[in-house]
Amino acid sequence: MEEVIDLSKLDKDFKYQVVREPGGEGLLSCFACGTCAASCPVREIDDRFNPRRLIRMAILGMKDRVLQDEFIYLCSGCYLCQERCPQDVGITELMTALRNIAVREGYLHPSFKAQLEFVYEFGRLYELTEFENKKRKKNGLPELNAVIDEVKTLLKEAGLSKFVEVKE
Amino acid sequence: MKNKTVIVVGSGIAGLNTAFSLVEKGYRVKVIERSSYIGGKLRQLDFQFPNDACGMCQIYPLYDSSFLDMCIRRGVSHEDIEFYTRAEVISVEGKEGNLKVKIRKHPRGVNENCTSCGKCEEVCPENRFSEFNYITQKAIYRDYVRNFPDIYAIDFNACTRCGKCVEICPENAINLEEKEKEETIDAAYLFVASGIKERDIRYLKEFGVGIYPNVIISTHFERLLSGNRPSQGELKRPSDGKMPKKIAFIQCMGSRDRQNPRCSSICCMFTLKEVRILKEYFPEVEPWVFYMDMRTFTKGGYRYFKETDAVFKNARPAKIEEDEKHNLILYFEEGGKFRREVFDLVVLSIGTEVEIPSYVNKNGIYLLYDEPLEIREALIRSYEATLNVPVLEKEKEAFNFPLKDEYVLGIVDTTGEYKKEGDHIIRHPPLRNKKDVDALLEKLKKEGIDLFVLIARSRYTTEGLLSYKVSPLAFEIVDSERENDLDFAVRRSILKLRYRTPSLKDTQKVEKSVLVVGGGVAGMSAAVELAKKGVRVHLVEKRSELGGEALHVKRRIDGTHEDTPKMLINKVKELGIPVYLKSEFLRIRGIPGEYVADIRKGNDVVNIGASAVVLTTGAKAYIPSEYNYKNSDKIITQREFEEKFDNVKSLKSVAMLQCVGSRNADFPVCSVVCCKDALKNAIYIKEKNPACEVYVLYRDMMAYGKNEEYYTEARKKGVIFIRYTEDMPPSLRIESDGVILDVHDKTFEMDLEIKPDLVILSTGFRPNKENKEMAEKLGIDIDEDGFFNTLNVKFNPIQAKNPGVFVAGTALAPMSIDDAVTSGRAAASKVLDFLNNFGVHKRYRTSDVKERTCAGCGLCVDVCPFEARYIDEDEKVAKVIYDICQGCGLCVASCPSGSAYLVGEETKGIINVLSEI
């Protein structure tokens, strides 16, 4: 990285926020040995995805960067790093914790956001059109509602609607 | 009568050293060893830091000639030390001074009639796996060619009791029905030096431990490299016997992880040593070392690291995979890049731990240490531990060389190989025990023989045994296994005996008083311990108060108050030790045992008589010229922070800078304490003011041993550790709004900018400038870095070259307060040994002077490396201090008049031997 990171501009409370989040307790145990980075199967495919680096960014307080990082969603949850980590950082669970924080703080990854919008709008992962109902009818199946309002209510109740940009 | 028996559990280097020190203090020692041979872990390791050679024999006491100066790997013979092999302590009853120690002796199957001829091994049909050599060997075995005791042993887990060995044994030495025995020993004290064992690291499955044949642990690798190596000089990897071309060493295997949170302290150094030995013998091999922190904190350790030629990778590999040829693929991350590298052999630097027996928590039982220690530290601890027992006065040695006008010479053959017949030729069975020696002496007496040549198969054991009863000058040994021409060897020895001239004088008496130079914690500890034992001590300190550099330390790493210096000052007062403040040590005159020291106090020079000198002049704190120190009140040292800074609550961020003035080209020494200081102060800040950010900019975190726990604690409290390298040190700017630190984080290849309220420099030690001059005054050495040296950095860490001078504390190398106290106490123990033995032993293999022809020119005094010679001003002739002379012979070579000679190696005899050739 060519840029100079000004530590005084970073969020020094972020590391404690992660430690307080269920799953993130082990963050500060990390001594940067690199076992996780060399274990990660995602990493093997693309150098940009590096758990050690992500942990370091979290410790330094690079909150925005961490919560926007694709890796927290790309983690396949294989637990290889978690099993091998000599310091019990609990990396796989740490990723879950980071995702949870990210979502709560409004850093939802665009792909998840798109999915959520679909579910919110239609009550399904895809849009139900006239074409599907025609087919159903042909096969003797009952017609379905294009929109399921109950799901919408549920998502509202769960507080997820705030991520959704849908015109009502 | 007082019980003089002491038990030492463990015969490794620390156990043996404890035994030696106890013998010096007047005790009889029984050493209990669990394995079949004595020597412990070090028997498996042939070469050691710092000179990559073996130096075990350097632990022998300097004054006690009853220790035969010979290879410890091959045998230790001393009449006051008895060894129990294959034995263990099962219970201890009673209390200090009167312990009842129950010993279980496991059957060995072979008794001491064994001559190690090896016939049994040839016929034995059963195999065992040798955990010593990591190879398969026969059920009746020995570890290598010369063990101690030099007899075979049977592994009864592998033996089927077929009886073939019993049939073939010519000495009737094997008993397959031998039973387990128990014995209760009455002992006054018990010392536990049970040593280290490798951790079980089978949980490290991703490294293929126990799965891939070419993944081995470091002890196994040491055996592959060893001088008496099972592979006989070649380096062969286990899978196919091929020579490995590329070897990976992985550090911290079984240390610094979830299962074993502590650092094992010694593994970095032994890996470096293995790499160096490897490069020396097999320069074509390419070693790679994977490490997290290179913890080379021992004296001379950093220099050793810098001079080691290997590829060093700051990474912990994640896994090892094996290809179809049993080559190993390592996966690791370096500078943000994912890497895989193929190796022929992988050596896992295995973590170790100390086995602590269940019976240690009892009065009169002393545990030497509870965490793995480097040899040097282990020896220091063993000196220290023996302070726990009172010193018993030794009796003067009794036996003498017969003084006669004419001597009768004889030949004793214990091998059956000497075929000549004649008068005074005696046939005798091999000498295996004291009984055999008595029988031989009886025979000699009957024949009227005074001096004799002994033909034997093992020089070492025979010489040791005989020396119990016979003056070493009264015989010459011919080792039949080493001689091509036995007749000539016997003739040669006869000639030497014919010209033997015994001329022993009475040894000197010593007054028991000691001068301690330097009133820091090490000096005060030494003085206090000596005074407690009734020795008169004089304590000289240059400054106006006692305590030294330790006075500036306010807190201990565990958060408690540091009151060691204060406690010691009170003890010095309590014991009424004479203290000379604002006084300067000028010089010593005289000889060891009888020094006179000149001390300047104000304008006066005071003379103090002392038998020995303890040098504890310490080191001084480094005042940095780097990083704008002095130009800003925002840049201070760790010490200043600890002493003066009381405004922690106001701080928002702090940066600590490690290795300032240490571990660089100017001063390639690790100051050891600064990493611990940084951890201590970082934790302190976080406790007082959790909101304050603490950055520690380090190169290698020296959190060895238990300190690793504080390193972990600091991280968990939110201290941020940033690793930089020597070639890219942090840079510091002072701008209008404060201090700015730029640092390149090497691990992540990130450029960081820190704007701390306070920069704390971890500055460490520097040796005193006066050390060189002081060393010359005292006739001792200094090392390349300007600290004092002892006889051997590793194997004799307290005794200086001048036999009456002992060095302790930071005068030797940077060390913590606790270590300085320990080394001061160890020095006290060594001084007690010196005082208790000086003048007690009759030394035989020394040089002497024919005073009739000596002109008193003093050449011999100049060349003597031990300062064992001086010119008697009244008689104008050279004199020898027999207690100090080591019989090197330099004086003989230098004497222009032929007056200097070596007793036992008389010139006439040697010339006659030469003319025979």
Side-chain angles (χ1 to χ4, degrees), chain B residues 620-635:
Chain B
K620 61 176 196 295
Y622 175 63
I623 310 294
S625 51
E626 302 94 327
Y627 294 110
N628 274 315
Y629 175 73
K630 301 244 157 125
N631 292 343
S632 163
D633 55 357
K634 289 186 168 181
I635 304 165

Side-chain angles (χ1 to χ4, degrees), chain A residues 86-138:
Chain A
Q87 288 293 313
D88 230 351
V89 175
I91 300 145
T92 312
E93 276 148 26
L94 174 68
M95 294 304 153
T96 312
L98 289 174
R99 281 197 295 270
N100 285 340
I101 296 173
V103 171
R104 212 165 40 239
E105 306 248 333
Y107 293 94
L108 193 58
H109 191 269
S111 65
F112 283 90
K113 193 171 170 232
Q115 278 182 30
L116 191 65
E117 280 170 358
F118 260 97
V119 175
Y120 185 82
E121 198 173 348
F122 307 111
R124 293 189 181 79
L125 278 170
Y126 55 90
E127 185 181 1
L128 197 79
T129 59
E130 227 174 288
F131 174 75
E132 275 90 5
N133 270 335
K134 250 184 196 170
K135 277 224 158 182
R136 289 179 67 90
K137 205 173 170 186
K138 212 170 156 186

Side-chain angles (χ1 to χ4, degrees), chain B residues 298-299 374-380 793-794 797 812-813 815:
Chain B
T298 189
K299 180 174 164 75
E374 208 238 330
I375 293 170
R376 167 190 171 82
E377 300 299 324
L379 296 180
I380 288 176
V793 174
K794 197 174 194 89
L812 283 172
M815 61 177 80

Side-chain angles (χ1 to χ4, degrees), chain B residues 802-873:
Chain B
N802 184 340
V805 180
F806 303 83
V807 197
T810 48
L812 283 172
M815 61 177 80
S816 67
I817 291 181
D818 289 354
D819 287 347
V821 168
T822 305
S823 88
R825 289 167 54 89
S829 176
K830 282 296 273 182
V831 170
L832 290 171
D833 294 353
F834 169 77
L835 298 177
N836 205 34
N837 287 276
F838 206 82
V840 168
H841 303 280
K842 287 205 189 296
R843 290 193 78 99
Y844 292 94
R845 308 253 175 212
T846 65
S847 73
D848 212 332
V849 183
K850 288 178 194 147
E851 288 181 5
R852 216 160 40 85
T853 51
C854 175
C857 71
L859 262 181
C860 56
V861 179
D862 293 341
V863 298
C864 178
F866 301 99
E867 310 224 338
R869 281 178 166 251
Y870 62 100
I871 300 292
D872 188 310
E873 297 299 336

